[in-house]
Amino acid sequence: MKGARDIAKETKRQAVKKVNKVVDRASDEYSHSRTYQRFQDEDDDYYSQPDGNYTGDDANDEEGSSDATEGHDDEDEIYEGEYQGIPSDAKARDGQVALGQPLADGLKDRRELEKERQADEEELAQQYELIIQECGHGRFQWQLFFTLGLALMSDGVEVFVVGFVLPSAETDMCMPDSSSGWLGSIVYLGMMVGAFFWGGMADKVGRRQCLLICMSMNGFFAFLSSFVQGYGFFLLCRMIAGFGIGGAVPIVFSYFAEVLAREKRGEHLSWLCMFWMIGEIYASAMAWAIIPHYGWSFSMGSSYQFHSWRVFVVVCALPCVCAVVALTFMPESPRFYLEVGKHDEAWMILKQIHDTNMRARGQPEKVFTVNRIKIPKQIDEFVEMQAESGNIFSKVIFRIKTELHGVRFMMCNLSEIISSMYYGLSVWFPDVIKHLQADEYASKVQRHNNECIEDFTFNFTLENQIHTNSLFINDRFIGMKFKSVTFINSTFHSCFFEDVTSVGSFFRNCTFIEAVFYNTDIDDSKLINTDVVNSTFYHNKTGCQMTFEDDYSAYWVYLVNFLGTLAVLPGNIVSALLMDKIGRLSMLGFSMILSGISCFFLWFGTSESMMIGMLCLYNGLSISAWNSLDVVTVELYPTDRRGTGFGFCNALCKLAAVMGNLIFGSLVGITKAIPILLASSMLVGGGLVGLRLPDTRSNVLM
């Protein structure tokens, strides 16, 4: 045994000598040529050695290799596969340039530096793809998949929670119609700014750290918004929460794409998109289960009301909290570390990915053979932008021009088209259905004219009635509710009102003479052009009174959204299975064309059931376009601008969503022709453009 050990040590010494010779030779050649072609021309003997670049799986078959590659023997021999740090060039004396050594950065112009960095990036892209393939796809990717899925789920919840709480929040806080709608716009504004800001920060600070910060901000202010009473503070909290969640989409897709091999990227990014749909289903189900139930609330006097919609807001913040907790156990993107020159940190994370996947496969003895990874040349931001003027405005313009170059400009346009049509129709569909319900409800109204009621006790609900020129004398309204009841030119003489609640009810041009109001919500907002003579109000209810009892329309709205979201599931599955087979742009184009055609058939929808069926069909066909757009956007931008570029496109999507909401919302109840023709033509036209763009499924991440 001792003899065998000595023979092994001697063999390793000889191998180290051979390695040193190869490293010296590689260093000399590296100073003359910086292209990746050199590594393809080397014979297998040189390629398998630790010459500062990727080493393949052959190292696992070498004699003397061991699974204990992170230690040294008694004489500190270097084990094969052991991490050896960043190769450092010998430094020349001040003012001198060594023969055969590359020039220092200070002696080169900006064009040469950019050329060298471009060559380094191309080399790193190919090498990183090989490393990710060696790490394999397994437990680590699935852990990150579910963690980032919770963050993406939070974004889907944030988008829909606004629409669900909008009517309740504005009623609870007594907002006039002139301020109605600000909640939806302010949240989208926060998400738009947040997408661009956090996307850019992710390229400077890191994917994981920025995602932790923005998700924590969203969770805290979303939770806080459920307790504030003033509408102004509520808007502020939701805007900051939107600013935080705005960074989720660009960071999540950039983060996950950078740990996926090329052949897995399209499929698994599409599966990740399903969490956005799960967020929609979660929000719809929670709204359906919580908001219409008035019992889910409590009050502290008359000044503090915690109604069921506030409980719903708290519940919707739970996925964000879970995402923050899970993110604390995940590492930073190794691709980001390599881009910013942190070689050591990147190597450790890649080794963690490799070891985690190998242990899950039952192969813990398999060695991570990569010992050195190429790092692109780091160019100072000032040097990179010195051709531009020094003011901030010019630098911003320069950045925007960079993000809108060539194919990326077309992708931004397609993003705006899909977003404006999707969110616009998402607003238009429920409002059209509610408009149809309102018309049907109004057609069943009961009209009472010139009636006279005396000494009668009303202790039941009056609903959907109009009383004109009526006279009420010595009547008692006790423990009752007015629901969509209007009194016109009516007189109430010596009437007594106690514990009365009114929803959508008004008194127009009426007269109250010697009436008594005790613990009612009848106030000036419901007494329109009405005279109150010698009447008394005791313990009048303050604030806007909310109730969802017997409110069928509230259940109906949540059910419609739930069904429309559930219809997305088949489209998600199809896009995930076919993304890498037929290509991203083909799926994008055909999905937009088919969704545009389905949108055209809305013209023939005359009933609620037909409109719901068309909504489900449209959602199922359009989701493939969303998934394709996310995958292509990730693959178009290089690592140092991936977060910024994705954030910029996502910010444009949110801006287009606001414009779509305004345009389509203003046409509800007026005409169906304009929204249908506009959506159909833009979707079909955008799909035809998408079919002509180059596909990116064969590209490595630059």
Side-chain angles (χ1 to χ4, degrees):
M1 292 176 60
K2 182 178 180 181
R5 192 183 304 112
D6 293 338
I7 292 173
K9 290 181 179 180
E10 184 62 28
T11 302
K12 292 174 185 177
R13 290 192 188 96
Q14 296 299 328
V16 169
K17 292 180 181 179
K18 185 178 179 181
V19 167
N20 292 335
K21 292 179 181 179
V22 174
V23 170
D24 294 338
R25 177 178 175 181
S27 300
D28 293 336
E29 291 179 359
Y30 184 76
S31 62
H32 292 86
S33 173
R34 299 180 64 85
T35 63
Y36 192 72
Q37 184 65 30
R38 180 177 68 82
F39 299 98
Q40 298 174 348
D41 295 337
E42 291 283 359
D43 56 48
D44 294 337
D45 183 43
Y46 297 145
Y47 182 76
S48 63
Q49 301 300 328
D51 56 357
N53 296 280
Y54 175 81
T55 59
D57 292 335
D58 295 338
N60 284 311
D61 301 327
E62 293 272 343
E63 182 180 0
S65 64
S66 172
D67 57 346
T69 56
E70 296 186 13
H72 299 279
D73 60 10
D74 297 337
E75 299 183 11
D76 291 336
E77 291 92 344
I78 301 177
Y79 282 73
E80 185 174 6
E82 181 186 0
Y83 173 63
Q84 299 178 23
I86 307 175
S88 58
D89 296 331
K91 297 183 179 179
R93 296 181 180 178
D94 295 340
Q96 298 181 2
V97 178
L99 184 63
Q101 295 296 328
L103 292 174
D105 291 350
L107 302 178
K108 301 176 184 178
D109 59 13
R110 179 170 176 267
R111 188 172 302 175
E112 291 179 353
L113 292 174
E114 289 181 345
K115 186 176 180 180
E116 290 184 0
R117 179 176 174 83
Q118 181 65 26
D120 290 347
E121 288 177 344
E122 293 176 359
E123 181 181 331
L124 173 59
Q126 299 292 338
Q127 183 187 2
Y128 188 80
E129 180 65 29
L130 295 174
I131 295 174
I132 290 297
Q133 290 178 6
E134 179 180 339
C135 291
H137 188 93
R139 176 179 294 174
F140 179 86
Q141 280 82 1
W142 287 111
Q143 290 174 348
L144 187 62
F145 173 80
F146 287 106
T147 299
L148 298 180
L150 287 173
L152 197 60
M153 178 181 173
S154 302
D155 182 82
V157 169
E158 184 71 22
V159 169
F160 279 81
V161 72
V162 174
F164 290 150
V165 305
L166 185 61
S168 305
E170 291 177 342
T171 302
D172 189 17
M173 298 178 182
C174 305
M175 291 306 300
D177 292 338
S178 59
S179 300
S180 179
W182 269 104
L183 178 58
S185 300
I186 205 72
V187 171
Y188 277 115
L189 178 63
M191 297 177 73
M192 179 182 68
V193 178
F196 188 74
F197 176 81
W198 293 114
M201 288 296 294
D203 289 334
K204 300 296 181 184
V205 180
R207 282 54 164 132
R208 174 182 174 274
Q209 186 171 349
C210 281
L211 189 58
L212 269 173
I213 296 173
C214 68
M215 295 300 296
S216 300
M217 180 181 297
N218 171 257
F220 176 77
F221 283 97
F223 184 78
L224 183 63
S225 67
S226 64
F227 294 95
V228 298
Q229 293 292 300
Y231 192 67
F233 284 109
F234 183 77
L235 283 179
L236 178 63
C237 289
R238 295 313 303 186
M239 183 182 69
I240 300 177
F243 174 77
I245 200 63
V249 173
I251 299 177
V252 161
F253 284 99
S254 300
Y255 193 175
F256 194 50
E258 291 169 356
V259 296
L260 293 175
R262 177 171 49 193
E263 64 272 9
K264 298 283 187 180
R265 196 163 54 233
E267 177 185 353
H268 287 272
L269 286 176
S270 299
W271 289 123
L272 184 64
C273 294
M274 291 187 64
F275 279 94
W276 205 85
M277 176 204 69
I278 295 174
E280 297 180 44
I281 294 177
Y282 177 81
S284 301
M286 292 299 102
W288 191 9
I290 296 175
I291 295 182
H293 296 284
Y294 187 70
W296 288 62
S297 62
F298 65 89
S299 61
M300 298 173 61
S302 60
S303 59
Y304 189 87
Q305 304 289 330
F306 197 89
H307 292 298
S308 57
W309 69 268
R310 297 181 182 273
V311 179
F312 168 70
V313 172
V314 173
V315 172
C316 285
L318 295 181
C320 183
V321 176
C322 295
V324 171
V325 174
L327 273 171
T328 58
F329 298 97
M330 303 307 298
E332 180 58 81
S333 166
R335 187 66 177 85
F336 167 77
Y337 273 152
L338 290 173
E339 193 66 29
V340 297
K342 295 184 178 181
H343 180 280
D344 298 4
E345 293 85 345
W347 186 90
M348 293 298 295
I349 295 173
L350 287 170
K351 187 177 186 304
Q352 176 187 347
I353 297 174
H354 175 275
D355 294 346
T356 301
N357 291 339
M358 292 305 110
R359 284 194 299 268
R361 293 181 182 180
Q363 300 174 332
E365 73 283 354
K366 195 168 184 180
V367 180
F368 183 55
T369 60
V370 179
N371 45 42
R372 293 181 185 175
I373 310 172
K374 185 63 188 174
I375 300 178
K377 180 176 288 295
Q378 302 300 308
I379 303 178
D380 190 11
E381 187 76 10
F382 176 77
V383 176
E384 185 180 351
M385 301 179 65
Q386 65 181 359
E388 307 299 321
S389 57
N391 61 78
I392 298 178
F393 179 75
S394 298
K395 293 182 179 182
V396 172
I397 296 299
F398 174 77
R399 287 298 187 193
I400 294 177
K401 288 181 179 179
T402 302
E403 308 309 329
L404 292 179
H405 176 71
V407 178
R408 299 170 189 167
F409 176 73
M410 300 304 301
M411 294 307 302
C412 288
N413 288 337
L414 293 178
S415 301
E416 289 185 285
I417 292 174
I418 297 175
S419 182
S420 59
M421 297 303 103
Y422 179 82
Y423 287 105
L425 289 174
S426 297
V427 171
W428 188 69
F429 270 122
D431 284 346
V432 167
I433 293 175
K434 286 192 292 185
H435 186 73
L436 293 173
Q437 288 180 335
D439 290 343
E440 182 180 0
Y441 189 77
S443 65
K444 299 178 181 179
V445 66
Q446 301 177 9
R447 298 181 179 273
H448 303 273
N449 300 316
N450 302 316
E451 60 182 351
C452 181
I453 302 176
E454 187 174 358
D455 292 324
F456 186 80
T457 299
F458 294 88
N459 55 6
F460 49 87
T461 299
L462 297 180
E463 181 179 359
N464 198 20
Q465 299 179 7
I466 297 178
H467 298 262
T468 306
N469 298 323
S470 300
L471 178 61
F472 299 87
I473 302 175
N474 293 325
D475 294 321
R476 291 164 298 281
F477 300 83
I478 300 176
M480 64 162 301
K481 181 198 304 182
F482 293 114
K483 186 176 180 181
S484 300
V485 178
T486 302
F487 296 92
I488 303 175
N489 296 325
S490 299
T491 301
F492 297 83
H493 192 283
S494 300
C495 293
F496 181 75
F497 297 83
E498 181 180 359
D499 295 328
V500 175
T501 302
S502 59
V503 178
S505 301
F506 303 94
F507 300 86
R508 301 178 184 274
N509 301 319
C510 296
T511 302
F512 289 87
I513 302 174
E514 297 180 354
V516 176
F517 299 86
Y518 181 84
N519 194 32
T520 70
D521 63 352
I522 300 175
D523 53 17
D524 293 339
S525 64
K526 299 175 181 179
L527 302 176
I528 303 174
N529 297 326
T530 295
D531 296 327
V532 180
V533 181
N534 295 330
S535 298
T536 308
F537 292 83
Y538 296 100
H539 300 289
N540 217 39
K541 297 179 181 179
T542 59
C544 299
Q545 305 302 313
M546 296 179 58
T547 177
F548 291 94
E549 296 175 2
D550 304 322
D551 190 356
Y552 176 73
S553 61
Y555 286 97
W556 186 253
V557 171
Y558 305 137
L559 177 61
V560 169
N561 281 276
F562 180 80
L563 293 176
T565 304
L566 200 61
V568 173
L569 180 60
N572 259 315
I573 296 175
V574 170
S575 64
L577 296 178
L578 300 181
M579 186 70 70
D580 289 322
K581 293 181 174 60
I582 67 174
R584 291 86 159 103
L585 276 305
S586 298
M587 181 162 291
L588 172 65
F590 285 120
S591 176
M592 292 183 68
I593 292 174
L594 292 176
S595 59
I597 295 174
S598 68
C599 183
F600 177 76
F601 285 99
L602 289 172
W603 198 308
F604 307 100
T606 56
S607 64
E608 297 175 13
S609 58
M610 290 183 64
M611 295 297 291
I612 294 174
M614 291 299 168
L615 168 65
C616 295
L617 179 62
Y618 170 77
N619 286 350
L621 292 173
S622 63
I623 192 62
S624 297
W626 277 109
N627 295 353
S628 304
L629 193 65
D630 292 333
V631 176
V632 172
T633 306
V634 165
E635 295 174 337
L636 275 179
Y637 288 94
T639 301
D640 61 338
R641 294 197 304 273
R642 185 167 296 122
T644 305
F646 206 127
F648 183 77
C649 290
N650 200 253
L652 291 181
C653 286
K654 296 301 185 290
L655 177 62
V658 174
M659 299 302 297
N661 288 344
L662 294 176
I663 294 173
F664 285 82
S666 63
L667 297 174
V668 174
I670 299 177
T671 177
K672 290 196 302 184
I674 296 179
I676 291 175
L677 293 178
L678 178 63
S680 298
S681 59
M682 292 190 69
L683 288 171
V684 172
L688 294 176
V689 172
L691 290 174
R692 300 183 62 86
L693 295 176
D695 206 345
T696 59
R697 58 177 162 172
S698 60
N699 295 355
V700 295
L701 290 181
M702 290 298 299

